[in-house]
Amino acid sequence: MGAQQTPSLDAIAQKCAAHGITAQHNKPLTTNCITEQPVDFKRRRQALIRHHPQYQQ
C-alpha cells in the first residue's frame, strides 16, 4: 500500500491486531474504536510510524 493511499478501517484494525496493538485495557482494536477517536488514533499512528520504520510499509 502506497504512502498516499488511506487503508480501510478494517485493514487498519487487522494490521494492528497482527502487531499486537490493542485498545484500552488490552481489548481488541475494532473499526468502531478507530472511528470514535479519529484524531487520537491518527496522532498515535503517526508516532508509531516515526519511531518504527517497519510500519511505514
Side-chain angles (χ1 to χ4, degrees):
M1 187 162 296
Q4 299 301 322
Q5 293 177 314
T6 301
S8 70
L9 295 178
D10 190 50
I12 292 170
Q14 288 178 13
K15 188 93 170 185
C16 287
H19 288 284
I21 298 169
T22 61
Q24 283 188 319
H25 308 293
N26 209 27
K27 293 182 181 178
L29 188 62
T30 65
T31 56
N32 287 340
C33 293
I34 298 168
T35 57
E36 288 172 358
Q37 299 179 23
V39 173
D40 192 43
F41 184 82
K42 186 174 183 176
R43 177 188 60 79
R44 291 178 182 198
R45 180 177 178 269
Q46 292 300 319
L48 279 173
I49 288 172
R50 278 193 298 273
H51 296 292
H52 300 281
Q54 70 269 26
Y55 296 131
Q56 294 179 9
Q57 300 173 4

